Amino acid sequence: VAMAATRRVMRAVRVFEFGGPEVLKLQSDVLVPVPKENQVLIKVHACGVNPVETYIRSGTYARKPALPYTPGSDVAGVIESVGEHVTAFKKGDRVFTLETVSGGYAEYAVAAANRVFPLPDKLDFRQGAAIGVPYFTAYRALFQKGCAKAGESVLVHGASGGVGLAACQIARACGLKVLGTAGTEEGMNMILKNGTHQAFNHRDPNYTERIKACTGPGGVDIIIEMLSNVNLDADLQLLSCAGRVMVVGCRGRIEINPRDTMSKESSIIGVSLFLATEEERRECATAILDGIEAGWLKPVVGLEYPLEKVAKAHEDIICSSGARGKMVLLL
């Protein structure tokens, strides 16, 4: 009984029903979670906002968490305490996560120790919150599922958001020829600074012709696709022989002609970080931590919101007219 009296409370976003951004409720009396064995408690300084979190919140996504829940998987902060059997971390360590147990849109979050990684001093907490889902997804799409090799060409379709910029940086560092698209002048400049050899504006009606002129008759080997319900049909026309489209993002249905895959023996491959094995996650983590160490992995932070403005963040990530880096909540 004495224990219960001393449990601390925190501010956290709670979702009690699926629906629009307005179902995100900021509460100030949520109990601070306690780490169990092989878990850590993190004092959250920043938390990334991912498009998938808006799909889950709306109730339209394949995975539905039990209600009520706190969204958020990519946090960066400082270890507050550790559960039993945790030896890799101690109180005071700077860390970032790939996922959380209790939800990241909160002042404190519990995460499994094997989903937590050291945050090097050269990156701030905002950047730390921009690593998890975007960089692990980009690495998985390029190498684990896309089998990218140095010397191949990659088109990052929607390159100015979190996953897009991650894909550009990783692909460039690994010796690929990198083409990218963005929807604004600012976005195009940003992707050119972050690894693309050439940038195209996907709002230009003739942009696919420009890409074809750039790649020549050979086409592009890999496409990292953020909006497949809009672009998949066009993507199939841009591919090389044995080329592959990696479906990273989708918001609905699209009609394609499967014959387009036959003429080039091309592939359409879905990417889900959720299905990665422990071994695959470790491979991603090693590559990412090496990239930070080497200096080429530099997360670009875009719009920043306080926790009170979480509903606005969810609205903006879906409706804004062109992404510019990774959206984060600041605590």
Side-chain angles (χ1 to χ4, degrees), residues 63-320:
R63 296 204 319 276
K64 283 197 182 65
L67 296 166
Y69 76 98
T70 294
S73 55
D74 299 338
V75 310
V78 174
I79 298 280
E80 178 79 5
S81 62
V82 301
E84 279 184 283
H85 312 310
V86 175
T87 52
F89 300 103
K90 61 183 187 314
K91 184 176 166 67
D93 287 352
R94 300 170 87 247
V95 294
F96 71 93
T97 66
L98 179 58
E99 55 188 66
T100 65
V101 175
S102 60
Y105 296 8
E107 290 177 325
Y108 292 89
V110 162
N114 64 355
R115 302 286 191 277
V116 176
F117 307 95
L119 179 64
D121 288 337
K122 59 172 78 169
L123 300 183
D124 63 29
F125 291 119
R126 293 153 51 252
Q127 291 173 301
I131 302 172
V133 169
Y135 282 86
F136 279 71
T137 300
Y139 184 88
R140 181 168 180 77
L142 282 163
F143 298 106
Q144 292 177 342
K145 294 293 162 190
C147 303
K149 293 183 178 59
E152 287 191 309
S153 58
V154 60
L155 168 65
V156 183
H157 215 157
S160 62
V163 178
L165 287 163
C168 293
Q169 290 178 1
I170 294 171
R172 180 67 177 250
C174 294
L176 282 95
K177 181 181 181 190
V178 188
L179 312 177
T181 77
T184 62
E185 198 64 41
E186 190 185 355
M188 286 167 67
N189 289 332
M190 181 179 279
I191 67 178
L192 284 166
K193 287 196 189 88
N194 282 281
T196 55
H197 292 89
Q198 281 186 276
F200 304 87
N201 188 330
H202 51 223
R203 294 180 198 277
D204 168 356
N206 300 318
Y207 84 99
T208 53
E209 296 310 314
R210 293 176 200 267
I211 292 171
K212 283 179 186 163
C214 174
T215 59
V220 67
D221 298 309
I222 303 171
I223 298 177
I224 307 289
E225 182 52 69
M226 309 304 165
L227 200 59
S228 47
N229 54 299
V230 173
N231 299 322
L232 189 57
D233 187 50
D235 289 341
L236 295 176
Q237 322 301 322
L238 294 171
L239 286 177
S240 64
C241 272
R244 47 266 185 222
V245 181
M246 312 310 301
V247 177
V248 169
C250 181
R251 297 183 188 173
R253 302 174 73 86
I254 185 171
E255 192 172 301
I256 62 164
N257 184 347
R259 179 162 296 189
D260 292 335
T261 64
M262 294 159 62
S263 56
K264 296 173 180 171
E265 290 196 323
S266 56
S267 315
I268 300 166
I269 302 169
V271 179
S272 170
L273 187 54
F274 186 63
L275 296 176
T277 64
E278 192 54 51
E279 195 180 351
E280 287 172 330
R281 270 190 293 262
R282 272 202 299 272
E283 182 197 333
C284 289
T286 303
I288 286 162
L289 292 167
D290 285 352
I292 296 171
E293 190 59 37
W296 57 257
L297 194 157
K298 289 202 185 79
V300 180
V301 177
L303 296 168
E304 302 173 7
Y305 298 79
L307 211 46
E308 296 76 19
K309 294 274 194 319
V310 63
K312 180 89 173 90
H314 267 227
E315 211 171 293
D316 291 352
I317 201 167
I318 296 301
C319 304
S320 72

Side-chain angles (χ1 to χ4, degrees), residues 14-25 52-72 314:
R14 302 292 281 161
V15 175
F16 294 90
E17 58 179 329
F18 296 112
E22 70 284 351
V23 303
L24 297 160
K25 305 289 186 201
V52 70
E53 289 148 22
T54 70
Y55 312 150
I56 294 170
R57 181 215 69 227
S58 69
T60 57
Y61 197 62
R63 296 204 319 276
K64 283 197 182 65
L67 296 166
Y69 76 98
T70 294
H314 267 227

